[in-house]
Amino acid sequence: MVPPPSPPANELDTALAARLRRIRVTAAVSAAAFVLATAVATVLLSNRTLSSYLAGAAEEADEEVKAISGVVDQTFDHLAAMPRVLTNSNELRAIAMRYSARGAEFASLSRAERFQQLRRDPDVSRSNAGLTAVRNELNYDLVYGLDTNGIRIVSSDWDQPLSLLGERLDDREYFKAAIAERSGHMFAVARTTRIPVLFFSAPIESESGPVGVMVVRQDSEQLGKILGGRPLSMIVDGAGVVVAASRRELTLTHVGPLAGAPPSVEAQRETYAQDPMRILELTRPSRPLHPAEWRFEGRPYLASTVVLTDKNYRLIVLSPIESLEMTRPLHYAVGTMVGLFGVLVALLVSRRAEGLARQRHNERVTAALNDRLVALNKDKDRYLGIAAHDLRNPLSSMRGLAELMIETPLEPDQQREFLDTIRRTSDEMLHLVNDLLDTAVIESGKLELRRKDQDVSALVQRRIRHLEPHARQKQITLEVDTAPGRAAIDAARFSQVIDNLVSNAIKFSPPGSTVRIALRVENDQVAFSVQDQGPGIPAEERQLLFRSFQKLSAQPTGGEKSTGLGLAIVKKIVDAHGGTITVDGAPGSGARFTATIPAAAPGA
Amino acid sequence: MSDERKVRVLLADDESHVRLFVKSVVTAIGFEVVAEAADGKKAVELFDTAAPDLVLLDINMPVMDGLAALKALRAKSGSVAIIMLTSLASADVVGQSLDAGATYHLRKDLPVSELKEELRDAWLAHLQDLEAPAQ
């Protein structure tokens, strides 16, 4: 019976460590992959959601802006129509014809004289009152008429302190446009008020051609009002300058990237009375999701632009998309939570897997330990059986022989033979009991060595002297070849090694043969070897050789007893010294046992 | 069988103290040990020259154990008495040996008086068995 291998505790521990490492790496990789996938998915989904949201918002904004542009167009139409309507007034035409007919004579008067004459003209006064009523009724800034020399002959502000009644305005674009092109509108900054205004003009026609021009002036503040409650709506001229806006401070600024380059500094001064002009800080977001997406004053907007009908103006509306500011962080927060949840799941799963691995490991260790205990217990039972058997035979023989000696009259020779047998048998029993006790001590792990540095060769020679008589009985020669060698050994225990190996050699050697005992010192190792000329040991028996109670095929040659414990004890003692024991030699050519131990105790 | 002629015994046991003890008992009841063997193979070899009436065979022996020797001896002679010497009164070994043609089995750890008695009784029983078919 081959005892089962010791539980591979280290192997199991290594396997557990590897398994735990695998679990942790898998969990970490899974968690990292999940987090990465979640991050990518979050960004992609967020972008997609926001893109489609922005596309919808942009469409809506465009619709609304179109609606507003309709209103603005209408307002422009009304403003453009009003001077034409006024030119239909016969009264106004008569006044215009009268003053235009005076021509150069009236124009050569001083402005103050013209003013006085106009104030004294009852027709003019009546018309002035009429225009004031129109202005007030339609909420215009100013309504007035010019003669063909560009002299303001009627005006809704005739009674105002800064009224320009009588002023010559023939250099004005709207005047020139009305005379040359029979209609006109233009934008300008009112020189006196510095307020941006829009002029709409129309010629007063007669049979002989234009006799004057009617003008309606509207300021940007009034225009801004029609842009409604939208916070950022602007009417922008061809140069990209805001001429009216829902927010007053935006007027006379340049819309920056929403238009071309701002007008030159000269033009800014000339046309807009601005030096320098403020440029709106519209920037593109770092990762725009929509072409109309802009940032202004730190907030996101969608810019919608509509060109106003037949005019040199555009309507630009910035629609706030505040939710964008909130949505993306919300998406990212959800993504982060999903990622964290994944990490948590990976952590929990790996914890659980680790727990299971540990549990399985513990079960395996317990099972291995249990197997070993069962095997050891079986061994113990077997040893006990063998020992009991090996002790009972000699005991019953000894008792029988003693009985015979008591009951039967014996010859002295017979008595001596009986007593010899009893002594020899009790010797063998004592030997077996000693070996059993030794084995018990060694097997229970209580083998304590009292090591002392000493001359091993002297010890070998001392033991050989004790073994010599036994060898001589079998006509066996002990050939001893020892080199002086020192090692830290337990002398009593190492004596057992020498005794057991040498007496084994004697036991299994044929009479007349030689047993060679050698002690060599090499590479800090002391090698003690015993070579016999016995039957040798078959290869298949070598691994069983050093186990307890293994009596193998070789038989003692002189009827000696074998306990089956000697070599097991030798191996344990050599192992305890940190050495090794080997056996070699082919069957038929004898066996050689070599015990090799370190020359000095480890750490000594 | 003549009363003057001593019963010839072949004794096989690997332990010399057992052989000495059993031989003394066998001698004490008036039998004669004509040959001793330390193993079963030796016993089979000695059988022809020793021409025993009774073979005492130990079960546990090196080289050739008692059961193998029993079978070999039974092949040589159907009439010789073969008594197995046991120490373990193990039922399966006893059963096997009886199946293989053992005459009887005897525990060698019995007190001398009992051993003598058992041995004598076994021998007489064997003689009766030998005579029975003749009647």
Side-chain angles (χ1 to χ4, degrees):
Chain A
M1 178 179 152
V2 178
S6 6
N10 290 342
E11 259 172 57
L12 284 178
D13 285 348
T14 314
L16 174 68
R19 177 102 191 95
L20 292 181
R21 201 160 46 240
R22 254 198 320 277
I23 289 170
R24 284 177 196 145
V25 167
T26 306
V29 169
S30 309
F34 185 78
V35 166
L36 193 68
T38 309
V40 170
T42 303
V43 170
L44 289 179
L45 280 173
S46 176
N47 281 354
R48 228 177 95 178
T49 309
L50 292 175
S51 292
S52 74
Y53 160 75
L54 285 179
E59 227 167 88
E60 267 176 50
D62 285 348
E63 287 298 315
E64 281 186 54
V65 172
K66 261 184 205 129
I68 297 168
S69 78
V71 175
V72 176
D73 277 340
Q74 233 178 332
T75 309
F76 268 69
D77 285 346
H78 282 151
L79 285 166
M82 187 45 65
R84 277 198 294 275
V85 170
L86 290 173
T87 56
N88 290 334
S89 156
N90 290 328
E91 218 173 313
L92 284 171
R93 189 185 290 114
I95 293 168
M97 285 176 75
R98 194 144 49 82
Y99 282 95
S100 295
R102 284 175 68 179
E105 175 264 318
F106 186 63
S108 64
L109 296 174
S110 71
R111 195 235 150 190
E113 277 173 328
R114 289 198 295 264
F115 181 76
Q116 289 306 319
Q117 286 186 21
L118 287 166
R119 285 294 300 269
R120 280 197 297 272
D121 188 330
D123 291 342
V124 169
S125 295
R126 204 166 35 251
S127 290
N128 280 344
L131 292 182
T132 305
V134 168
R135 175 205 170 273
N136 290 343
E137 184 66 24
L138 296 174
N139 226 350
Y140 296 144
D141 183 25
L142 194 62
V143 183
Y144 55 92
L146 307 173
D147 70 4
T148 46
N149 287 318
I151 296 162
R152 193 187 284 192
I153 47 175
V154 285
S155 183
S156 60
D157 70 342
W158 58 277
D159 55 347
Q160 297 295 308
L162 292 172
S163 171
L164 292 182
L165 195 66
E167 181 79 16
R168 188 167 183 171
L169 303 166
D170 60 338
D171 61 331
R172 301 298 202 266
E173 292 297 325
Y174 54 85
F175 171 77
K176 289 181 196 164
I179 295 297
E181 297 158 27
R182 300 294 189 270
S183 81
H185 67 88
M186 69 159 291
F187 164 80
V189 178
R191 285 185 184 159
T192 45
T193 57
R194 293 208 143 206
I195 290 170
V197 287
L198 276 154
F199 295 91
F200 295 86
S201 57
I204 306 169
E205 303 283 358
S206 74
E207 284 162 14
S208 54
V211 289
V213 173
M214 282 310 298
V215 180
V216 169
R217 197 181 83 179
Q218 184 58 294
D219 66 49
S220 72
E221 218 171 310
Q222 285 298 322
L223 276 173
K225 282 178 186 162
I226 62 161
L227 294 174
R230 289 198 156 262
L232 284 170
S233 306
M234 298 167 279
I235 296 169
V236 177
D237 70 6
V241 178
V242 177
V243 297
S246 55
R247 253 159 68 182
R248 199 180 159 187
E249 72 273 16
L250 294 179
T251 49
L252 296 180
T253 59
H254 189 263
V255 292
L258 292 179
S264 66
V265 177
E266 247 170 49
Q268 286 181 23
R269 205 175 296 137
E270 278 289 306
T271 317
Y272 304 101
Q274 297 289 309
D275 188 16
M277 183 171 275
R278 187 181 144 217
I279 293 173
L280 295 184
E281 280 180 18
L282 280 154
T283 56
R284 293 294 271 173
S286 51
R287 286 191 308 274
L289 295 169
H290 193 274
E293 200 185 338
W294 293 92
R295 294 188 74 81
F296 177 59
E297 295 173 339
R299 294 205 175 83
Y301 289 93
L302 279 174
S304 308
T305 305
V306 173
V307 177
L308 297 173
T309 324
D310 288 337
K311 315 276 188 331
N312 191 23
Y313 295 95
R314 283 180 299 156
L315 176 68
I316 294 178
V317 175
L318 295 178
S319 310
I321 37 174
E322 291 290 342
S323 57
L324 194 68
E325 294 286 271
M326 299 299 299
T327 310
R328 198 189 287 275
L330 186 73
H331 288 170
Y332 287 1
V334 170
T336 307
M337 277 169 70
V338 170
L340 285 176
F341 179 74
V343 170
L344 189 71
V345 166
L347 200 67
L348 288 175
V349 167
S350 93
R351 275 286 149 87
R352 178 89 186 109
E354 275 181 32
L356 284 175
R358 276 180 207 286
Q359 195 184 325
R360 209 156 49 224
H361 166 75
N362 289 342
E363 280 165 9
R364 277 195 201 135
V365 167
T366 310
L369 191 64
N370 194 45
D371 286 353
R372 170 133 178 91
L373 287 176
V374 167
L376 283 176
N377 197 43
K378 268 188 197 159
D379 270 7
K380 194 207 73 186
D381 288 350
R382 201 169 60 88
Y383 293 175
L384 200 63
I386 292 169
H389 176 261
D390 284 0
L391 287 172
R392 185 171 58 179
N393 273 357
L395 262 180
S396 64
S397 293
M398 280 157 64
R399 190 195 58 183
L401 289 172
E403 265 188 274
L404 284 169
M405 285 177 76
I406 292 162
E407 290 172 8
T408 325
L410 294 171
E411 298 296 318
D413 278 2
Q414 265 183 312
Q415 279 190 13
R416 185 166 181 77
E417 194 188 359
F418 277 30
L419 287 172
D420 263 355
T421 303
I422 289 171
R423 195 201 54 196
R424 190 165 44 78
T425 307
S426 56
D427 267 356
E428 286 170 9
M429 285 177 67
L430 195 63
H431 189 69
L432 174 59
V433 170
N434 279 338
D435 276 2
L436 277 173
L437 288 174
D438 252 2
T439 303
V441 166
I442 291 167
E443 295 275 339
S444 63
K446 285 177 192 156
L447 178 62
E448 278 175 22
L449 297 181
R450 277 187 288 277
R451 302 178 75 162
K452 219 177 87 186
D453 185 61
Q454 56 196 283
D455 185 354
V456 186
S457 65
L459 179 70
V460 170
Q461 276 161 0
R462 209 159 55 238
R463 293 317 306 166
I464 297 301
R465 275 202 299 278
H466 287 283
L467 292 159
E468 277 284 1
H470 184 34
R472 266 203 302 276
Q473 276 178 7
K474 289 183 75 175
Q475 288 94 49
I476 287 170
T477 312
L478 297 185
E479 217 176 81
V480 185
D481 174 15
T482 60
R486 298 186 72 83
I489 54 168
D490 183 318
R493 288 297 179 186
F494 203 74
S495 294
Q496 277 182 286
V497 173
I498 300 166
D499 288 3
N500 283 347
L501 290 180
V502 175
S503 57
N504 264 0
I506 295 169
K507 199 183 286 181
F508 293 100
S509 290
S513 63
T514 302
V515 171
R516 290 189 177 82
I517 296 135
L519 187 73
R520 303 249 174 283
V521 182
E522 273 173 15
N523 307 326
D524 299 331
Q525 306 248 296
V526 176
F528 171 72
S529 67
V530 179
Q531 162 94 57
D532 64 32
Q533 292 174 332
I537 294 152
E540 66 269 20
E541 289 187 359
R542 284 185 190 167
Q543 58 178 33
L544 301 174
L545 206 56
F546 298 104
R547 294 193 176 138
S548 299
F549 292 113
Q550 295 293 339
K551 293 183 196 172
L552 304 170
S553 60
Q555 292 302 317
T557 50
E560 296 99 326
K561 291 294 294 179
S562 171
T563 63
L565 292 170
L567 284 178
I569 292 169
V570 165
K571 178 165 168 52
K572 298 282 183 189
I573 293 170
V574 172
D575 285 351
H577 278 86
T580 53
I581 180 141
T582 56
V583 59
D584 54 10
S589 67
R592 185 174 66 177
F593 287 84
T594 308
T596 309
I597 58 165
Chain B
M1 184 154 299
S2 161
D3 284 343
E4 288 87 42
R5 186 177 165 278
K6 284 187 173 176
V7 178
R8 297 168 65 83
V9 176
L10 168 59
L11 172 58
D13 196 303
D14 59 326
E15 290 174 299
S16 58
H17 53 81
V18 174
R19 290 200 302 274
L20 177 62
F21 169 56
V22 174
K23 183 183 169 187
S24 304
V25 172
V26 166
T27 311
I29 61 168
F31 294 2
E32 185 187 4
V33 174
V34 292
E36 287 180 42
D39 61 70
K41 189 161 175 275
K42 191 82 178 164
V44 176
E45 282 169 10
L46 288 172
F47 182 79
D48 289 334
T49 49
D53 304 307
L54 172 62
V55 180
L56 292 172
L57 269 183
D58 184 25
I59 303 256
N60 294 311
M61 284 187 292
V63 187
M64 180 190 273
D65 70 10
L67 271 180
L70 165 65
K71 284 168 190 162
L73 292 174
R74 209 27 107 205
K76 283 173 178 281
S77 163
S79 62
V80 68
I82 303 177
I83 295 178
M84 308 307 290
L85 291 174
T86 63
S87 52
L88 297 163
S90 143
D92 60 330
V93 176
V94 169
Q96 277 177 49
S97 59
L98 292 179
D99 287 348
T103 312
Y104 197 62
H105 63 93
L106 197 60
R107 280 179 57 181
K108 57 188 173 187
D109 57 343
L110 292 173
V112 175
S113 54
E114 279 180 49
L115 198 54
K116 282 179 180 171
E117 226 169 281
E118 292 263 324
L119 201 51
R120 255 198 304 262
D121 289 352
W123 174 247
L124 292 175
H126 172 65
L127 286 183
Q128 278 170 11
D129 282 351
L130 281 184
E131 283 160 13
Q135 284 171 346

